[in-house]
């Protein structure tokens, strides 16, 4: 049954107990408390630091008349501490017992827990980790949080300003604040005990008895995948940060999924190739990805880049220009990611494209100002956290089940391209290896089944999310065909009327290449040109595609049959990279030999769901 006591919204703080391992901001916060006539109790190193700052502090051992003992294992486990925290204010029996036993009220506890996880992550041995299991801290935390009707638990330096503001405005802490901080404290306690239990069980080599993950809500989202999926929000794991800072705009659910995957892709491409990298994401798969390889003259014409402008491109601008032009129709409204600091040249490219946002490791002031003004100030700008550690194990909740797995931290590098299983081993040059890496890392972050085609450091076709591998090849191959034919002389010669928008020009070229107009559609399509274009015939396309060569295809899993190789041969594929491991490997290898292709086995499957 609930214990009777007084109900009070605002509770003045007269005595605070402080015991922190993270001493960030503690001196200033305690100086503030002293100005409010708060008596300070503390222990060990915290008391020493406060005294050095000129503050008057009473040691807990003096307050309890019981010395710290057992090498500091027993400091605060005493009735005068926990009685002062747990005593119900306004309850006559409690208050009589407190007076009889010389127990004063403690209104606030400010504490951090011993850094157990940091000790584990720092390589501490078994005994060292055991010594960093906090006993007194969680006990005080739980006592204070339980009695939140009257006591305030403060567990993080991030809370100091909020507490100070509340006291300044109200003369004490409010019940709403105390409840909120109590909930945070119990979550912290659960997370802390879970980390200890998981670590201890791992030391025994057994299955974990329980896994507790505690999340801190960071900000709400307008909705989830669809407008009817409310509420929605983004959270961080308690005591960890998000992998990015929001510098501008309001990201949505799918924006953040794109950003998380896109950033990992370009980060790994940069690490694997040593070249600036970029990607263009839509619906959690890349429409394109590339590294900074100079453009040919015909590419400049196809991408609407003058030779002078091409010479002025910085590596990161060049990488994004290539990534965007892998499939500019699908990249409409993309989420971009680049591996390097965004400069003004890159921002100018993004400024003229229809795009939702970007994630990058940083921005020059000029680039930031340009991007910030995009979309009426709503363009999303995220800054990736350098050296962010997402942890070894990742979790996902689906329909009441929680899945866990080791994060796919395998980075594909040139070392994975050493097993060449076809006769044309000398054909696998450094440039080919680069394209194999680009294609393989791209499909690592593409919804499976997936294949990708690459040429000259950029993706030229991505086939995502098909149940049949050969259907992936057909889907991506159609995109390769379009990419090549955008460079056809008839396509380059199209004469658009003044005022036709950039994306409309992109779409019109693609429809010209596809050619399957309805009569009504063709009338509207022709209206965009100064003169009706000549037909791009099937024979025009076939003849032009005969010159296609030097394309690399990568698959996220083995090719189960030779049909994928047969189909890929239509798009200038000269190089193949795949995990291998199928019972049909010999048949697939023979197909590659027949078409004069060189093939590598990486031994690494890259499914992504």
């Amino acid at each position: 049954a609930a214990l009777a006591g007084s109900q009070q919204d605002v509770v003045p703080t007269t005595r605070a107990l402080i015991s922190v391992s993270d001493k960030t901001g503690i001196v200033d916060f305690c100086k503030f408390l002293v100005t409010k006539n708060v008596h300070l109790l503390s222990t060990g190193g915290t008391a020493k630091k406060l005294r050095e700052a000129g503050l008057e502090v009473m040691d807990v051992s003096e307050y309890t008349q019981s010395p710290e003992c057992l090498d500091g294992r027993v400091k605060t486990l005493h009735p005068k501490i926990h009685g002062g925290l747990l005593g119900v204010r306004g309850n006559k029996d409690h208050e009589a017992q407190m007076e009889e036993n010389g127990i004063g009220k403690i209104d606030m506890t400010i504490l951090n827990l011993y850094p157990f996880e940091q000790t584990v992550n720092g390589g501490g041995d078994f005994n060292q980790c055991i010594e960093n299991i906090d006993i007194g801290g969680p006990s005080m935390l739980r006592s204070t949080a339980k009695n939140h009707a009257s006591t305030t638990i403060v567990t993080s330096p991030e809370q100091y300003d909020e507490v100070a503001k509340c006291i300044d405005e109200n003369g004490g802490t409010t019940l709403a604040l105390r409840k909120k901080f109590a909930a945070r404290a119990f979550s912290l306690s659960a997370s802390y005990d879970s980390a200890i239990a998981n670590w201890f069980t791992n030391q025994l080599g057994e299955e974990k008895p329980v896994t507790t993950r505690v999340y801190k809500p960071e900000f709400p989202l307008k909705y989830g995948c669809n407008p009817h999926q409310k509420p929605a929000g983004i959270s961080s794991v308690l005591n960890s940060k998000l992998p990015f800072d929001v510098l501008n705009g309001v990201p949505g659910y799918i924006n953040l999924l794109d950003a998380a995957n896109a950033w990992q892709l370009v980060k790994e491409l940069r690490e694997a190739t040593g070249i600036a990298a970029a990607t263009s994401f839509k619906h959690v798969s890349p429409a394109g990805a590339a590294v900074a390889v100079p453009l040919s003259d015909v590419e400049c014409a196809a991408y609407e880049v003058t030779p002078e402008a091409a010479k002025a491109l910085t590596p990161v601008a060049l990488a994004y220009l290539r990534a965007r032009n892998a499939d500019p129709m699908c990249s409409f409204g993309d989420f971009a990611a680049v591996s390097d600091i965004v400069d003004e040249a890159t921002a100018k490219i993004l400024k003229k494209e229809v795009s939702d946002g970007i994630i990058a490791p940083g921005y020059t002031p000029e680039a930031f100002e340009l991007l910030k003004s995009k979309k009426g100030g709503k363009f999303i700008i995220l800054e990736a956290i350098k050296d962010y550690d997402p942890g070894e194990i990742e979790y996902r909740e689906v329909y009441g089940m929680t899945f866990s797995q080791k994060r796919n931290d395998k980075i594909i590098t040139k070392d994975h391209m050493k097993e060449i299983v076809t006769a044309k081993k000398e054909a696998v040059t450094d440039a080919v290896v680069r394209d194999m890496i680009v294609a393989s890392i791209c499909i690592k972050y593409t919804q499976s089944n997936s294949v990708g085609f690459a040429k000259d450091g950029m993706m030229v076709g991505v086939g995502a999310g098909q149940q049949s591998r050969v259907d992936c090849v057909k889907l991506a191959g159609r995109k390769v065909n379009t990419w090549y034919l955008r460079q056809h002389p008839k396509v380059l010669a199209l004469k658009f009327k003044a005022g036709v928008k950039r994306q409309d020009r992109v779409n019109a070229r693609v429809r010209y290449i596809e050619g399957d107009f309805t009569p009504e559609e063709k009338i509207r399509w022709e209206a965009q040109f100064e003169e009706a274009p000549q037909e791009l015939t099937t024979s025009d396309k076939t003849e032009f595609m005969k010159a296609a060569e030097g394309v690399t295809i990568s698959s996220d899993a083995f090719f189960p049959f030779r049909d994928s190789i047969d189909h890929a041969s239509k798009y200038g594929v000269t190089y193949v990279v795949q995990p291998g491991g199928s019972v049909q490997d010999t048949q697939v290898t023979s197909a590659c030999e027949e078409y004069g292709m060189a093939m590598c086995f990486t031994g690494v499957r890259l499914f992504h769901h």
Side-chain angles (χ1 to χ4, degrees):
L3 293 172
S6 60
Q7 296 295 320
Q8 194 172 347
D9 180 16
V10 177
V11 175
T13 302
T14 58
R15 182 180 287 113
L17 173 60
I18 308 111
S19 180
V20 294
S21 55
D22 178 0
K23 296 177 174 57
T24 305
I26 191 61
V27 170
D28 288 341
F29 185 46
C30 287
K31 284 182 177 179
F32 165 80
L33 292 176
V34 168
T35 66
K36 304 298 180 181
N37 299 314
V38 177
H39 179 64
L40 305 181
L41 296 176
S42 191
T43 62
T46 305
K48 181 174 182 290
K49 186 172 183 67
L50 296 178
R51 286 195 182 97
E52 287 173 351
L55 294 172
E56 185 176 339
V57 184
M58 176 178 284
D59 283 316
V60 165
S61 57
E62 180 184 351
Y63 179 72
T64 61
Q65 295 298 299
S66 179
E68 294 184 11
C69 59
L70 306 180
D71 293 314
R73 285 188 169 198
V74 178
K75 300 177 184 177
T76 57
L77 297 171
H78 193 280
K80 290 190 72 172
I81 298 297
H82 288 276
L85 295 172
L86 285 167
V88 176
R89 278 47 165 178
N91 182 290
K92 292 182 179 180
D93 287 342
H94 281 209
E95 294 200 348
Q97 290 178 52
M98 291 173 73
E99 185 176 353
E100 181 182 344
N101 291 283
I103 297 173
K105 297 173 184 176
I106 301 175
D107 308 301
M108 180 181 292
T109 303
I110 308 161
L111 60 79
N112 314 135
L113 304 180
Y114 286 172
F116 176 78
E117 289 180 280
Q118 292 93 315
T119 304
V120 171
N121 294 335
D125 61 25
F126 184 85
N127 290 330
Q128 186 179 2
C129 292
I130 290 293
E131 281 308 309
N132 275 276
I133 296 175
D134 202 334
I135 303 300
S139 299
M140 291 187 292
L141 179 154
R142 292 173 66 84
S143 292
T144 312
K146 177 175 180 175
N147 203 26
H148 64 267
S150 302
T151 57
T152 308
I153 178 65
V154 183
T155 56
S156 169
E158 294 174 359
Q159 298 172 330
Y160 296 166
D161 288 345
E162 188 174 357
V163 176
K165 185 172 183 288
C166 186
I167 292 174
D168 265 338
E169 292 178 353
N170 300 284
T173 60
T174 61
L175 181 59
L177 181 85
R178 296 194 300 275
K179 279 186 174 180
K180 181 171 73 170
F181 281 11
R184 173 75 184 271
F186 282 124
S187 296
L188 174 62
S189 177
S191 176
Y192 191 76
D193 286 340
S194 175
I196 295 168
N198 290 340
W199 169 81
F200 209 121
T201 304
N202 287 339
Q203 300 303 302
L204 303 177
E206 299 175 3
E207 289 294 320
K208 297 177 182 178
V210 65
T211 297
T212 303
R213 290 175 64 77
V214 182
Y215 298 101
K216 176 190 173 187
E218 293 287 351
F219 51 84
L221 300 173
K222 188 175 181 181
Y223 51 77
C225 284
N226 301 292
H228 64 273
Q229 292 180 262
K230 301 174 183 177
I234 192 77
S235 299
S236 62
V237 177
L238 191 64
N239 299 322
S240 181
K241 294 183 177 180
L242 293 176
F244 56 82
D245 290 323
V246 180
L247 304 186
N248 194 70
V250 181
Y253 190 97
I254 296 173
N255 292 145
L256 294 177
L257 288 174
D258 282 343
N261 284 277
W263 170 245
Q264 292 177 84
L265 190 159
V266 297
K267 183 173 180 288
E268 291 180 17
L269 266 184
R270 188 66 158 104
E271 291 176 14
T273 66
I275 309 172
T279 188
S280 171
F281 252 69
K282 284 286 292 291
H283 287 284
V284 206
S285 280
V291 292
V293 173
L295 300 171
S296 67
D297 290 342
V298 70
E299 284 179 310
C300 286
Y303 305 159
E304 297 187 356
V305 179
T306 64
E308 295 75 21
K311 291 177 183 177
L313 290 172
T314 59
V316 68
L318 177 57
Y320 181 67
L321 182 70
R322 279 195 173 278
R324 178 86 187 199
N325 277 284
D327 188 349
M329 179 181 278
C330 286
S331 283
F332 180 81
D334 72 341
F335 205 96
V338 297
S339 62
D340 293 27
I341 301 293
V342 176
D343 51 29
E344 190 173 11
T346 309
K348 285 180 177 178
I349 294 172
L350 267 163
K351 178 76 173 174
K352 64 185 180 183
E353 303 289 5
V354 177
S355 177
D356 277 356
I358 184 172
I359 183 169
Y363 304 83
T364 65
E366 299 82 5
F368 182 71
E369 289 303 315
L370 269 174
L371 294 176
K372 191 172 69 170
S373 65
K374 188 173 169 63
K375 292 186 70 176
K378 295 180 180 180
F379 188 69
I380 301 161
I381 305 175
L382 307 181
E383 184 171 325
I385 302 299
K386 185 180 179 182
D387 300 325
Y388 178 79
D389 181 8
E392 183 180 20
I393 305 298
E394 59 186 11
Y395 298 82
R396 180 189 299 184
E397 291 186 10
V398 180
Y399 199 59
M401 299 177 288
T402 301
F403 294 79
S404 65
Q405 65 173 356
K406 182 180 184 296
R407 191 171 63 86
N408 187 1
D409 55 4
K410 179 77 71 176
I411 297 178
I412 303 300
T413 69
K414 63 182 180 180
D415 292 335
H416 291 95
M417 311 306 168
K418 292 180 177 179
E419 187 182 351
I420 305 171
V421 296
T422 49
K424 294 181 64 175
K425 293 179 170 54
E426 73 286 349
V428 182
T429 63
D430 288 346
V432 173
V433 169
R434 175 203 62 208
D435 288 354
M436 288 180 167
I437 292 170
V438 170
S440 297
I441 292 179
C442 179
I443 62 169
K444 177 185 173 184
Y445 291 100
T446 302
Q447 298 301 302
S448 295
N449 289 317
S450 66
V451 303
F453 294 80
K455 181 175 170 62
D456 297 331
M458 69 180 284
M459 300 305 296
V460 294
V462 179
Q466 303 301 301
Q467 286 76 22
S468 163
R469 191 153 302 280
V470 72
D471 280 348
C472 292
V473 177
K474 291 175 181 178
L475 174 59
R478 178 169 60 82
K479 295 173 183 287
V480 176
N481 193 66
T482 300
W483 177 81
Y484 261 114
L485 290 171
R486 283 163 56 208
Q487 302 169 50
H488 191 285
K490 283 188 175 181
V491 178
L492 296 178
L494 290 173
K495 295 180 180 179
F496 289 94
K497 290 179 179 177
V500 176
K501 293 181 179 180
R502 179 179 180 82
Q503 191 63 40
D504 290 333
R505 297 196 299 271
V506 166
N507 297 347
R509 292 188 186 105
V510 173
R511 293 301 292 130
Y512 179 53
I513 291 165
E514 293 171 343
D516 55 344
F517 299 104
T518 66
E520 293 80 4
E521 181 188 8
K522 191 166 186 180
I523 292 170
R524 291 193 299 273
W525 178 79
E526 287 182 342
Q528 300 175 95
F529 301 96
E530 293 179 356
E531 57 187 49
Q534 295 180 9
E535 182 185 358
L536 184 65
T537 66
T538 300
S539 60
D540 288 336
K541 300 174 191 177
T542 301
E543 191 63 29
F544 190 79
M545 287 301 295
K546 286 180 180 178
E549 63 175 354
V551 176
T552 294
I553 184 173
S554 179
S555 176
D556 65 355
F558 60 66
F559 289 113
F561 305 103
R562 65 168 289 156
D563 55 358
S564 291
I565 304 301
D566 291 324
H567 199 78
S569 70
K570 301 174 185 179
Y571 304 108
V573 168
T574 313
Y575 311 103
V576 180
V577 56
Q578 59 141 322
S582 168
V583 295
Q584 299 287 351
D585 277 352
T586 301
Q587 181 194 91
V588 172
T589 303
S590 295
C592 289
E593 299 283 17
E594 290 171 23
Y595 290 112
M597 300 176 185
M599 181 166 67
C600 294
F601 283 171
T602 64
V604 181
R605 195 177 79 175
L606 295 171
F607 277 169
H608 183 64
H609 291 287

